[in-house]
Amino acid sequence: MTPAQGLAIGLLLVVLVLAIARRMNIGVLALGAALPVLALSGLPAKSMYTAFPGDLFVLIAGVSLLFAHLDRSGALGWLVDRVYRAVGNRRVLLPWAGFVIASALSSAGAFSTAVIAFMVPMVAQVSSRYRGTFLMSELAVVIGANTAGLSPLNPTGAVVRAAATKAGVSYPGWGLWAVSVGVAVVVVLALQTLDALGRRRGPGSQIEPLPSEPRDERSHSSTAYMVCSGVGLLVFVFFVVVLKTDVGVTAMCVAVLQQFVFRPDERTLLTRIPWNSILLLCGLLTYLGLLQQIGTMDSIGRLLSHLGTGALLILVLAYLTALLCNVESSTLGVLGLVMPIAFGAFAHSQVVFWVAAAVCVPAALMVMNPIHVAGTLIIGNSAVQYQDSLFRRLLALAGSLALIVPGLLALVPIALQ
């Protein structure tokens, strides 16, 4: 390993520690760490910028604008309201209504954090009418939104796909999504069963939401805008899935057409783009691209080869990713860091798809941890007197899933080897 490679790995560890300990944006830290690596390696900065993920930048921005129109027009709120009205007071189905809506939106390409930020307060409002349904309904929403984010249309799925492409690996994108959603269904069923058993012991374990407030109905939105934003989403999915057009460019085109025709406030729409996540992802992937150019990733691969490509390495990758997702609030950033290593180590293995599932799916399940946006939103929408106990419950739940799920999923590629 060359001095530049050693420095690059050391700085990457420093970046990760600072991002966790000081809650700093890992993308900003990574770009700052690139300067000494460039100086020691002698590479020009222009070579580093060739690794900038422009396709992911356009994808996240375009899809976020597309769904901002869907929300701004009132179409999204209308859909959610109709689904919950259809479910009515059937308490067993209430969590599944939120799960289906959230997973459908993420599967169609909506940034998972945006779906969670939209759905959590709305579900809290619905739960205020049905005592004892708040926590289970919120958990179903955040789990559905984040696990369905492994869809090929979603930014998270695109990050995994980009890592696979760079490693020369091909895998069924919708297959990974199906495994993720399937595991999510099993987890929600298990949590619902435990919740039902807990309620039999008495109401002490129930968490209630904040008193509901009337939601802004955005009366300025027209029916034509609502209909066109819904049709625009269907057109987007058709072009991407059937005609195989680029996800980011297609979303941007549909969003621009709606902006041109209906002219909603552009500044408001632009605030819906998750600039913090874009900076995190683009900065991290640019730094990892620099590491690739100076041969650091190859050196890491040689170090991992001492563990082989067997059970130990699979378990290390699965549990390491779950651990990082419990201490770093960005699932997207963690997968952007770990998946290049995972695909590099198993690029020529027949079980590479199941290795990806064992790494990615548990990472998506950690979303209810209080350090994540989802966990924070759930606590923030609960009644004040329950917030301390809810923090502990969410932390314990995320920890339990981190112990159980990676090991169970890792058994599949281990058994198939």
Side-chain angles (χ1 to χ4, degrees):
M1 182 176 288
T2 66
Q5 293 173 357
L7 176 64
I9 293 177
L11 288 175
L12 181 59
L13 293 175
V14 171
V15 163
L16 189 58
V17 170
L18 286 176
I20 294 170
R22 302 292 297 272
R23 291 286 180 260
M24 297 176 69
N25 187 295
I26 195 171
V28 174
L29 291 170
L31 288 175
L35 180 60
V37 177
L38 285 170
L40 187 58
S41 66
L43 281 178
K46 288 183 179 180
S47 62
M48 180 187 72
Y49 291 131
T50 60
F52 183 84
D55 55 341
L56 294 178
F57 177 94
V58 175
L59 186 150
I60 297 174
V63 169
S64 297
L65 284 175
L66 179 63
F67 279 87
H69 280 292
L70 198 68
D71 182 24
R72 182 75 176 171
S73 69
L76 192 54
W78 178 89
L79 172 64
V80 173
D81 182 64
R82 290 302 181 275
V83 170
Y84 277 107
R85 283 189 184 183
V87 171
N89 62 355
R90 291 177 282 241
R91 293 170 178 262
V92 175
L93 297 180
L94 281 173
W96 293 104
F99 179 90
V100 169
I101 295 170
S103 59
L105 292 172
S106 289
S107 299
F111 194 54
S112 301
T113 304
V115 175
I116 290 168
F118 173 81
M119 289 291 296
V120 166
M122 182 169 284
V123 169
Q125 190 176 39
V126 173
S127 300
S128 66
R129 301 198 295 265
Y130 305 105
R131 185 175 176 81
T133 63
F134 168 73
L135 181 57
M136 193 60 241
S137 296
E138 297 288 24
L139 288 174
V141 162
V142 299
I143 290 173
N146 220 42
T147 53
L150 291 173
S151 155
L153 305 182
N154 193 280
T156 305
V159 167
V160 178
R161 172 73 71 184
T165 301
K166 287 185 178 180
V169 173
S170 177
Y171 72 94
W174 286 109
L176 183 60
W177 168 86
V179 171
S180 182
V181 173
V183 171
V185 169
V186 172
V187 169
V188 173
L189 277 172
L191 292 177
Q192 197 170 29
T193 302
L194 292 174
D195 181 63
L197 293 174
R199 278 189 278 112
R200 288 184 180 181
R201 296 198 298 265
S205 62
Q206 292 182 1
I207 304 291
E208 297 300 329
L210 286 169
S212 62
E213 297 179 0
R215 179 173 167 83
D216 178 16
E217 298 295 336
R218 292 184 179 138
S219 56
H220 59 273
S221 296
S222 67
T223 303
Y225 188 17
M226 288 179 61
V227 172
C228 286
S229 63
V231 172
L233 177 61
L234 296 177
V235 169
F236 162 73
V237 173
F238 174 79
F239 269 73
V240 171
V241 175
V242 179
L243 302 182
K244 307 297 183 184
T245 58
D246 181 81
V247 177
V249 175
T250 306
M252 194 68 77
C253 179
V254 176
V256 167
L257 288 174
Q258 293 182 64
Q259 179 67 32
F260 179 76
V261 174
F262 298 103
R263 301 182 64 79
D265 183 58
E266 187 177 47
R267 291 185 179 180
T268 302
L269 290 178
L270 290 176
T271 61
R272 301 294 298 275
I273 297 176
W275 298 111
N276 183 66
S277 296
I278 289 176
L279 183 56
L280 180 152
L281 182 63
C282 292
L284 177 61
L285 293 185
T286 301
Y287 184 76
L288 292 178
L290 173 61
L291 266 61
Q292 183 73 49
Q293 291 183 38
I294 65 174
T296 309
M297 303 305 287
D298 293 333
S299 297
I300 292 174
R302 285 192 292 271
L303 289 174
L304 291 176
S305 66
H306 294 298
L307 296 176
T309 55
L312 180 58
L313 182 54
I314 295 172
L315 288 169
V316 166
L317 288 172
Y319 276 106
L320 176 63
T321 307
L323 172 64
L324 289 175
C325 283
N326 267 307
V327 295
E328 164 58 38
S329 61
S330 173
T331 304
L332 196 67
V334 172
L335 290 180
L337 176 65
V338 175
M339 290 314 296
I341 299 173
F343 282 128
F346 290 90
H348 304 294
S349 173
Q350 294 182 345
V351 296
V352 63
F353 169 78
W354 291 108
V355 171
V359 173
C360 293
V361 176
L365 284 173
M366 302 303 111
V367 66
M368 77 287 298
N369 191 305
I371 73 164
H372 283 262
V373 172
T376 302
L377 284 172
I378 293 174
I379 293 171
N381 280 274
S382 65
V384 176
Q385 65 268 30
Y386 298 110
Q387 290 183 357
D388 289 340
S389 62
L390 181 55
F391 180 93
R392 293 190 293 270
R393 286 177 67 173
L394 293 178
L395 195 62
L397 177 57
S400 300
L401 290 174
L403 286 174
I404 297 170
V405 178
L408 290 178
L409 286 175
L411 290 176
V412 179
I414 291 172
L416 291 175
Q417 279 191 322

